[in-house]
Each structure stands twice: as structure tokens, then as C-alpha cells.
């Protein structure tokens, strides 16, 4: 009785809030960031968010935050930011269709070195990072709203076609 209630609550909780997939990768090669912590969260079947944090000797910090939306069966659109001590702050936009991918990296701020990268001493660096994060969220939300609106219109058209063509209620 009481354990059944607890089991029902825990199963409904995991259905409401999906648990993100967490992966730790270690590469012993000559990469700048041999250790990566990857967190992938699926919001819906057509929307995932990925956070990839890598660190190592040459590049102290390598952080990528990417939101990917499925536009059609074979087409995806991604937006995100990439912060790295070697490359600086980059706004990433990508469109993939099948095996082809168009990536547009837009450099916002150049790379920083040493302690400046950790403390963020470069003038206005973190405010630019927040600004680009805001743009990324707005673009992603706009794409999501468009896709939701498109699916609602399609659903309503199908409903209307079935209602009229079914011979019931005219």
C-alpha cells in the first residue's frame, strides 16, 4: 500500500522530468582537451540540448552548449555557444540534412590566455557571453514556436479533413 504509492510517485516523477544522459570521455591521444564531460537532455523527440565540458593541459576550458531541433525527418537545426581558452567565444549555427552539414561559427571574442581565461579579465567578455547566450535562447525558442505552430496547423487541417470527409456533422 505505502510502497505502492511510493513506486507510483517515483515512476510518475521520472515520466514528467526525464533524466539527462551523462557521459565521461577520456582520450589519451594528443588532443588539447583529453577529458570531456557530456550531458545530453532530451526535451522532446524533436529537441535536445547538449553541454560538453572539456579540459586539459593545452586548453584549460572548452565548453560547448548546443540546442538541436529536428526540422524535418532528415533535417536538423542547431544553435549554441562555444567558449574556449584558445578560440575565445564563438556563436555556432548549423544546419544538417542527411550526411551534409553547413556550420557557421561566428567569432564574438578572440582567445584568452592563462589566468585571464579562468578569471575572465578581458573587458566585457562575460557580458558578451551572456548576450550571445540570450540570442541563442531566443533563436532556439523562435524555431521551436514556429515548429509547434506548423504542427498545430497541420494537425488542425488533418482534423478538418477527417471531420468533413467522414460524413459526420456537416
Amino acid at each position: 500500500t505505502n510502497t505502492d504509492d511510493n513506486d507510483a510517485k517515483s515512476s510518475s516523477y521520472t515520466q514528467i522530468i526525464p533524466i539527462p544522459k551523462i557521459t565521461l570521455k577520456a582520450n589519451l591521444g594528443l588532443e588539447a582537451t583529453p577529458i570531456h564531460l557530456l550531458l545530453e537532455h532530451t526535451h522532446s523527440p524533436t529537441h535536445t540540448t547538449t553541454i560538453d565540458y572539456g579540459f586539459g593541459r593545452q586548453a584549460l576550458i572548452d565548453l560547448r552548449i548546443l540546442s538541436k531541433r529536428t526540422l524535418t525527418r532528415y533535417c536538423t537545426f542547431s544553435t549554441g555557444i562555444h567558449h574556449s581558452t584558445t578560440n575565445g567565444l564563438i556563436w555556432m549555427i548549423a544546419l544538417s540534412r542527411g550526411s551534409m552539414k553547413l556550420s557557421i561559427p561566428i567569432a564574438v571574442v578572440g582567445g584568452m590566455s592563462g589566468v585571464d581565461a579562468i578569471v575572465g579579465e578581458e573587458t566585457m567578455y562575460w557580458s558578451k557571453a551572456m548576450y550571445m547566450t540570450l540570442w541563442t535562447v531566443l533563436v532556439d525558442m523562435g524555431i521551436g514556436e514556429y515548429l509547434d505552430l506548423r504542427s498545430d496547423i497541420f494537425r488542425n487541417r488533418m482534423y478538418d479533413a477527417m471531420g468533413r470527409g467522414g460524413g459526420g456533422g456537416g
Side-chain angles (χ1 to χ4, degrees):
T1 56
N2 191 16
T3 57
D4 293 338
D5 291 339
N6 288 338
D7 289 342
K9 286 179 186 177
S10 66
S11 66
S12 65
Y13 179 75
T14 56
Q15 290 174 357
I16 294 172
I17 301 173
I19 298 171
K21 178 182 167 185
I22 300 172
T23 308
L24 179 64
K25 295 180 181 179
N27 184 355
L28 300 176
L30 299 174
E31 291 187 12
T33 55
I35 300 173
H36 281 269
L37 179 63
L38 184 71
L39 183 127
E40 186 174 341
H41 180 69
T42 303
H43 302 279
S44 71
T46 60
H47 183 211
T48 59
T49 301
T50 305
I51 299 173
D52 182 4
Y53 178 73
F55 53 95
R57 291 176 303 161
Q58 296 170 347
L60 297 175
I61 299 171
D62 187 53
L63 176 67
R64 295 173 193 253
I65 302 172
L66 191 67
S67 178
K68 182 164 87 172
R69 299 240 182 209
T70 303
L71 301 178
T72 63
R73 188 172 179 183
Y74 299 107
C75 185
T76 61
F77 178 77
S78 303
T79 57
I81 59 171
H82 177 204
H83 163 73
S84 144
T85 53
T86 54
N87 297 329
L89 182 66
I90 298 170
W91 189 35
M92 302 180 306
I93 301 171
L95 184 65
S96 300
R97 179 156 175 92
S99 62
M100 295 183 350
K101 183 175 184 178
L102 173 65
S103 296
I104 305 171
I106 301 171
V108 179
V109 178
M112 297 182 292
S113 62
V115 177
D116 290 345
I118 296 170
V119 179
E121 290 295 327
E122 185 173 306
T123 307
M124 303 294 285
Y125 183 86
W126 295 111
S127 61
K128 289 179 183 178
M130 289 296 124
Y131 183 70
M132 293 316 299
T133 302
L134 174 67
W135 270 109
T136 300
V137 169
L138 289 175
V139 168
D140 182 60
M141 287 174 61
I143 295 289
E145 287 295 319
Y146 170 74
L147 293 174
D148 289 344
L149 177 66
R150 189 178 72 173
S151 67
D152 287 345
I153 290 171
F154 178 73
R155 194 175 309 119
N156 288 339
R157 284 184 183 165
M158 291 299 292
Y159 178 74
D160 290 344
M162 288 172 36
R164 291 184 194 142

